[in-house]
C-alpha cells in the first residue's frame, strides 16, 4: 500500500468497483449501466465489461450528469470513502478543448460506425 492509502503501483482494480469507490456511480449496477451505454472510456477505448482492470496512470473519460469528465488515476482506492478522499485518487485532466456535447470525445466505437456504413441505403 502507498502512503496515501491506495494500492501499490502494479496493482489493478475492476473498473466497475473503481467507479463506485471514486463516487462516479452510487452502486456497481449503476457503474455497469455507464459501461453498457458506452459512457466510459479507458485510455481512449470503450470499456466493454465491468471486469476490465484499471491501473494507476490510466485516463478515464466518462459522462456524468450530462458533463464529460476526463480524469487520470493517481492511486487506487481500497474502499469507498468521502468525496474529498475519493478526489485524492485522481486528477482532472484539462477538458477545455472537449466538445461540450461529447460528440467528439465519446463518438461511437469504430465497430458501431462500420456497421452503420454497411446498412443498405446508407451512402458512404
Amino acid at each position: 500500500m502507498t502512503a496515501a492509502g491506495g494500492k501499490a503501483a502494479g496493482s489493478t482494480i475492476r473498473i466497475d468497483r473503481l467507479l463506485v469507490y471514486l463516487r462516479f456511480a452510487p452502486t456497481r449496477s449503476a457503474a455497469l449501466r455507464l459501461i453498457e451505454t458506452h459512457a466510459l472510456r479507458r485510455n481512449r477505448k470503450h470499456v466493454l465489461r465491468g471486469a476490465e482492470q484499471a491501473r494507476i496512470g490510466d485516463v478515464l473519460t466518462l459522462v456524468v450528469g450530462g458533463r464529460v469528465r476526463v480524469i487520470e488515476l493517481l492511486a487506487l482506492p481500497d474502499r469507498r470513502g468521502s468525496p474529498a478522499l475519493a478526489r485524492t485518487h485522481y486528477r482532472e485532466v484539462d477538458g477545455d478543448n472537449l466538445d461540450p456535447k461529447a460528440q467528439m470525445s465519446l463518438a461511437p466505437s469504430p465497430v458501431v460506425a462500420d456497421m452503420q456504413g454497411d446498412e443498405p441505403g446508407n451512402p458512404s
Side-chain angles (χ1 to χ4, degrees):
M1 295 223 199
T2 63
K7 296 181 180 180
S11 297
T12 62
I13 186 171
R14 285 179 59 111
I15 204 150
D16 57 350
R17 182 169 291 175
L18 177 70
L19 293 174
V20 173
Y21 288 179
L22 295 182
R23 305 184 76 82
F24 290 114
T27 63
R28 282 179 59 192
S29 296
L32 288 172
R33 280 193 299 276
L34 279 174
I35 293 166
E36 290 167 358
T37 59
H38 297 283
L40 175 67
R41 288 186 181 196
R42 182 177 59 86
N43 299 330
R44 295 182 152 192
K45 295 183 180 170
H46 283 290
V47 173
L48 302 175
R49 301 174 306 136
E52 286 189 30
Q53 300 294 307
R55 294 174 176 74
I56 294 171
D58 283 352
V59 175
L60 302 180
T61 305
L62 61 155
V63 178
V64 179
R67 187 176 147 222
V68 176
R69 297 194 57 189
V70 182
I71 63 165
E72 178 185 5
L73 295 176
L74 302 176
L76 300 179
D78 293 328
R79 62 184 175 82
R80 182 177 170 103
S82 68
L85 179 63
R87 283 190 298 272
T88 65
H89 292 92
Y90 65 89
R91 73 174 182 91
E92 294 276 344
V93 177
D94 179 22
D96 291 339
N97 59 354
L98 293 176
D99 178 14
K101 294 188 184 228
Q103 294 171 350
M104 296 297 288
S105 59
L106 292 176
S109 66
V111 173
V112 174
D114 288 343
M115 291 171 56
Q116 291 173 349
D118 293 337
E119 292 176 6
N122 187 0
S124 295

